[in-house]
Amino acid sequence: MLNLDFSVFNWSLIQGFILKGLWFSIVLTIIATAGGIFFGTILALMRLSGKKWLDVPASIYVNGMRSIPLVMVILWFFLLVPFIIGRPIGAEYSAIITFIAFEAAYFSEIMRAGIQSIPRGQVFAGQALGMSYGQNMKLVILPQAFRNMLPVLLTQTIILFQDTSLVYAIGAYDLLKGFDTAGKNFGRPTEMYIAAAVLYFIICFSLSWFVKRLHKRIAIIR
């Protein structure tokens, strides 16, 4: 019979092991989301440009990244880049760069769908006002696309937060690593993994509930 003991949990344990990992997971999620949306929007515009020299490389990148498991990308980058440049870059920096590069492919598809969801009349109206392609995108199309895709962007961000646990494979000190380290130090790995699962569930369920409410509010505004 499995003997569980959660009495080891106290503020000292949380402060010494868990908060450090939670902080890195949150920072990684925020940076990867911001970078992913930025580069993803650029990739989406390249794919919608109608120019093959922009569309083809962007399509290859997006489809290629979406066809590879994230954990493989993390390991490849962490192992190959130091070999190429001749020096290590650290697990944390490696994780940040990898997540931005990987998530850009997913955010690209979200933004492309958002841009394509805008009625063509909006584009023609901007052109009628004498706007250039760039001005039309910046002032008319992209703001509406962001608003339409906001629930989907936030949902992808929640998935991204869950995926941050994969950096455990390269030794980065994320939330899962914090629980694992605490489990080893206190001799209670089972309790720590259960607690990690519960905390991930609480965070992701709460964020999902918020996104659902936001989606309803946006639908009412429309």
Side-chain angles (χ1 to χ4, degrees):
M1 182 176 180
L2 186 62
N3 182 24
L4 299 178
D5 180 13
F6 291 96
S7 63
V8 296
F9 281 93
N10 53 52
W11 176 244
S12 177
L13 180 148
I14 294 172
Q15 188 178 35
F17 298 94
I18 310 305
L19 290 183
K20 177 183 176 182
L22 177 61
W23 174 250
F24 177 72
S25 292
I26 292 174
V27 170
L28 177 57
T29 300
I30 293 173
I31 294 177
T33 298
I37 291 176
F38 176 78
F39 291 108
T41 301
I42 293 175
L43 288 168
L45 293 175
M46 289 173 65
R47 297 193 69 183
L48 294 172
S49 66
K51 301 175 181 179
K52 284 190 175 182
W53 64 277
L54 290 175
D55 180 20
V56 172
S59 297
I60 292 174
Y61 180 86
V62 170
N63 293 326
M65 276 293 189
R66 285 164 56 87
S67 301
I68 305 173
L70 175 55
V71 68
M72 295 300 298
V73 179
I74 293 173
L75 288 171
W76 288 347
F77 191 90
F78 180 70
L79 296 173
L80 291 179
V81 171
F83 177 77
I84 294 172
I85 66 176
R87 62 182 179 86
I89 61 173
E92 284 74 18
Y93 284 113
S94 179
I96 290 172
I97 296 171
T98 302
F99 266 76
I100 292 175
F102 188 84
E103 292 300 325
Y106 285 84
F107 283 118
S108 169
E109 290 298 275
I110 295 173
M111 288 309 303
R112 187 163 70 99
I115 293 171
Q116 290 178 324
S117 70
I118 305 302
R120 295 297 297 174
Q122 299 282 339
V123 180
F124 298 146
Q127 293 174 344
L129 292 173
M131 292 185 181
S132 65
Y133 176 81
Q135 290 174 325
N136 209 357
M137 275 292 174
K138 179 181 178 181
L139 301 175
V140 180
I141 307 303
L142 287 179
Q144 295 183 73
F146 273 111
R147 187 192 66 184
N148 292 346
M149 292 294 104
L150 184 58
V152 185
L153 291 171
L154 292 176
T155 299
Q156 182 61 31
T157 301
I158 296 173
I159 296 173
L160 196 164
F161 175 77
Q162 295 171 343
D163 287 343
T164 58
S165 61
L166 295 176
V167 302
Y168 176 84
I170 58 175
Y173 202 101
D174 70 312
L175 180 57
L176 182 59
K177 181 69 173 179
F179 277 104
D180 178 70
T181 304
K184 291 177 180 177
N185 278 269
F186 288 87
R188 290 291 176 179
T190 304
E191 288 86 340
M192 294 302 165
Y193 283 122
I194 292 174
V198 171
L199 183 56
Y200 272 107
F201 173 80
I202 291 173
I203 293 174
C204 295
F205 181 82
S206 301
L207 292 174
S208 297
W209 178 84
F210 169 75
V211 171
K212 186 176 181 180
R213 298 270 300 186
L214 180 64
H215 181 68
K216 289 182 178 179
R217 178 167 295 185
I218 291 176
I220 291 174
I221 294 175
R222 291 175 186 170

